């Protein structure tokens, strides 16, 4: 039975590879009219058969991306009307941002009521999180500034008119920025989707709950945990629309802007994965070497959780296995139990890398030049706002939308990114999982607790 499943899996993998090669050939034959179109359609039909056999959300998303691109290329008049489906998805994503941040950050802090006993480990963990995520953000800025993937993209005036970008310079005043971080009214902050303000309130609220006695904290903490669990379920429901939204977004992009739009999007994907490789080589591996943690042993321990995160695009799905593998690797259970779950709120290495790349890509597409100072402010904003919802599929899309709104960037480039978001999401999720496992190993060794 196992052999049959393995054989079936190999057959599907081979069929997928053939389908992608045939589709690439069809793209290369685009100048030959019907021949190229027929080749691409044949490839899509083969990939549809594979998708039906796999029956996973990731497979359907991949298929929807290719089908959407083909629809946009062959029937642009029809494809442009699918824009509304992508907009509906974005609205549903926006509506869950504030409740998720409020629930996850508050419960994440309040659940560690004995934070004083964690003491030094908690401090070192948070310092490590901030240093590594900031390095990831800065690396993303350097990568997108070098590739300039968003420059030269022509966005239809009708799409840009939906959200006219204001001057970014209005947000560079430190006093104004600092004042806007703190909420004046929680309901207004949630209604206006002011993610920074909601995060600040959640942190204060979580600390206050942690300082209460268990008897007084438990009832409200239970309500917030139920809210968080419910919002995770809402998110799962919404994510069933992700393949439709991805296909609709890409079909609209290709249909309204032409097949050439795929070039900057391909550059964006290549920029992210190039930066991801650089993050592993320039940050993760040196950290392992400096802390004298065996590189090969760590990679073997983290490979399976990272693969699950890559396949499911959900960090949360890899959490139990990641904790188990790190404990087997020699990190004490109590360190693993604190560091890895905390990392799912405060240590989004892959997401941090992507957010800086995608935000500046959106500015490049909109023709907005960001100075070094403005990019620094954006990195600082992303450093604060990228906390709390790492376990949610496409969570970075929520942060990206909120950051774009804060800097008055148009949503049109984000709709473009949505078309290839699934391709990037797998890589950034795997990085998130790997980064959290690395954090557990580092903190354990830092405290002299990790067994050899």
């Amino acid at each position: 039975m196992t052999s049959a499943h393995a054989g079936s899996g190999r057959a599907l993998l081979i069929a997928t590879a053939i389908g992608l090669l045939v589709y690439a050939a069809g793209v290369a034959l685009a100048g030959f009219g019907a021949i190229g179109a027929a080749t691409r359609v044949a490839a899509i039909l083969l990939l549809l058969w594979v998708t039906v056999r796999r029956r996973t959300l990731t497979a359907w998303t991949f298929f929807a991306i290719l089908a959407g691109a083909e629809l946009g290329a062959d029937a642009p008049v029809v494809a442009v009307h699918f824009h509304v489906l992508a907009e509906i998805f974005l609205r549903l994503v926006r509506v869950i941002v504030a409740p998720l941040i409020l629930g996850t950050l508050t419960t994440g802090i309040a659940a560690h009521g004995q934070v004083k006993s964690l003491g030094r480990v908690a401090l070192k963990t948070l310092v490590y999180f901030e240093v590594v995520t900031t390095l990831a953000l800065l690396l993303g800025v350097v990568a997108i500034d070098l590739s300039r993937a968003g420059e030269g993209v022509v966005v239809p005036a009708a799409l840009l008119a939906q959200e006219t970008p204001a001057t970014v310079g209005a947000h560079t005043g430190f006093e104004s920025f600092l004042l806007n971080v703190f909420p004046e009214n929680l309901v207004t902050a949630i209604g206006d989707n002011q993610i920074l303000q909601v995060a600040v309130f959640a942190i204060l609220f979580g600390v206050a709950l942690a300082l209460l006695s268990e008897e007084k904290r438990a009832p409200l903490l239970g309500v917030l945990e139920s809210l968080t669990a419910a919002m995770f379920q809402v998110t799962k429901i919404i994510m069933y629309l992700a393949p439709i939204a991805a296909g609709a977004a890409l079909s609209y992009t290709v249909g309204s802007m032409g097949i050439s739009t795929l070039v900057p999007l391909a550059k964006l994907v290549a920029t992210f994965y190039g930066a991801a490789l650089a993050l592993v080589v320039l940050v993760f591996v040196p950290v392992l070497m400096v802390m004298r943690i065996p590189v090969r042993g760590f990679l073997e321990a983290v490979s399976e959780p990272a693969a699950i995160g890559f396949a499911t695009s959900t960090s949360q799905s890899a959490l139990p296995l990641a904790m188990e593998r790190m404990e087997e690797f020699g990190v004490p259970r109590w360190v693993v139990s604190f560091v890895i779950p905390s990392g799912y709120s405060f240590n989004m290495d892959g997401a941090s890398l992507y957010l800086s790349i995608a935000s500046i890509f959106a500015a490049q597409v909109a023709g907005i030049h960001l100075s070094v100072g403005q990019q620094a402010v954006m990195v600082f904003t992303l450093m604060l706002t990228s906390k709390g919802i790492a376990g949610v599929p496409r969570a970075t899309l929520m942060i990206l939308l909120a950051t774009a709104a804060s800097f008055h960037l148009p949503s049109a480039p984000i709709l473009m990114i949505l078309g290839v978001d699934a391709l990037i999401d797998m890589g950034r999720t795997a990085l998130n999982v790997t980064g959290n496992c690395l954090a557990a190993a580092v903190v354990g060794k830092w405290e002299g607790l990790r067994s050899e």
Side-chain angles (χ1 to χ4, degrees):
M1 191 67 168
T2 303
S3 178
H5 279 298
S8 176
R10 285 194 295 269
L12 291 176
L13 185 61
I14 293 172
T16 301
I18 293 174
L20 292 175
L21 288 173
V22 172
Y23 188 84
V27 173
L29 294 172
F32 292 88
I35 297 176
T39 303
R40 295 193 301 272
V41 170
I44 289 175
L45 290 175
L46 175 59
L47 292 171
L48 175 60
W49 174 79
V50 174
T51 302
V52 171
R53 294 291 301 273
R54 286 189 180 274
R55 291 183 294 184
T56 64
L57 192 62
T58 301
W60 278 111
T61 302
F62 271 121
F63 172 76
I65 288 172
L66 291 178
E70 188 60 29
L71 179 63
D74 296 338
V77 176
V78 176
V80 294
H81 295 291
F82 283 86
H83 171 63
V84 66
L85 297 178
E87 281 287 353
I88 290 172
F89 177 75
L90 289 179
R91 287 193 175 203
L92 291 173
V93 169
R94 288 188 184 107
V95 80
I96 61 178
V97 174
L100 271 173
I101 290 178
L102 183 62
T104 54
L105 269 179
T106 302
T107 56
I109 294 172
H112 295 289
Q114 298 179 346
V115 67
K116 290 183 180 179
S117 66
L118 293 173
R120 190 172 59 252
V121 170
L123 178 60
K124 288 182 177 180
T125 299
L126 291 177
V127 169
Y128 174 85
F129 286 167
E130 292 308 317
V131 170
V132 176
T133 53
T134 301
L135 288 175
L137 286 166
L138 293 174
L139 188 58
V141 171
V142 172
I144 192 65
D145 281 344
L146 289 175
S147 71
R148 300 187 179 278
E151 292 187 358
V153 180
V154 180
V155 182
L159 188 57
L160 279 177
Q162 295 178 8
E163 272 188 81
T164 303
T167 303
V168 180
H171 290 264
T172 57
F174 179 75
E175 295 86 353
S176 176
F177 170 76
L178 186 61
L179 183 63
N180 194 51
V181 166
F182 296 92
E184 181 178 22
N185 184 305
L186 179 61
V187 175
T188 302
I190 293 175
D192 293 341
N193 211 24
Q194 292 292 327
I195 189 171
L196 265 176
Q197 296 182 9
V198 176
V200 168
F201 177 82
I203 292 171
L204 293 174
F205 196 38
V207 170
L209 281 177
L211 295 176
L212 293 177
S213 64
E214 180 65 26
E215 180 182 359
K216 293 182 179 180
R217 179 174 66 233
L220 187 53
L221 188 59
V223 171
L224 289 171
E225 287 174 345
S226 296
L227 171 65
T228 303
M231 293 313 301
F232 274 122
Q233 292 301 320
V234 172
T235 302
K236 289 179 181 178
I237 294 172
I238 293 174
M239 288 308 149
Y240 282 115
L241 300 176
I244 297 174
L250 201 56
S251 67
Y252 175 82
T253 299
V254 175
S256 60
M257 302 167 65
I259 195 71
S260 60
T261 303
L262 296 179
V263 175
L265 290 179
K267 288 174 63 178
L268 175 65
V269 175
T271 298
F272 171 79
Y273 279 98
L277 179 60
L279 180 65
V280 172
V281 173
L282 299 179
V283 178
F284 287 2
V285 172
V287 166
L288 288 168
M289 296 176 68
V290 168
M291 298 303 297
R292 296 184 179 179
I293 298 172
V295 177
R296 182 175 179 179
F298 174 79
L299 293 178
E300 290 177 352
V302 79
S303 60
E304 193 174 354
I308 291 176
F310 185 88
T312 62
S313 299
T314 312
S315 300
Q316 199 177 38
S317 64
L319 177 60
L321 186 61
M323 295 178 68
E324 180 183 346
R325 290 292 180 267
M326 284 300 98
E327 189 175 343
E328 292 174 355
F329 187 58
V331 184
R333 177 175 296 179
W334 71 272
V335 174
V336 171
S337 299
F338 172 73
V339 175
I340 292 185
S342 298
Y344 276 63
S345 287
F346 297 100
N347 189 43
M348 300 169 64
D349 297 333
S352 297
L353 182 72
Y354 167 74
L355 282 169
S356 56
I357 290 174
S359 298
I360 297 178
F361 175 85
Q364 290 175 351
V365 171
I368 299 175
H369 173 72
L370 296 175
S371 66
V372 173
Q374 291 167 341
Q375 290 184 7
V377 172
M378 181 175 286
V379 166
F380 179 70
T381 303
L382 291 170
M383 181 184 69
L384 294 177
T385 58
S386 62
K387 313 299 180 189
I389 51 176
V392 186
R394 312 295 192 273
T396 48
L397 177 61
M398 308 173 194
I399 304 295
L400 183 58
L401 288 166
T403 302
S406 298
F407 285 82
H408 288 262
L409 300 176
S411 61
I414 299 175
L415 286 176
M416 290 177 56
I417 296 172
L418 179 60
V420 294
D421 185 69
L423 296 174
I424 297 176
D425 194 30
M426 295 183 298
R428 68 182 178 229
T429 303
L431 271 183
N432 288 339
V433 174
T434 304
N436 285 325
C437 290
L438 176 60
V442 168
V443 172
K445 188 65 180 286
W446 204 348
E447 285 293 299
L449 298 171
R450 183 185 169 274
S451 61
E452 297 296 339

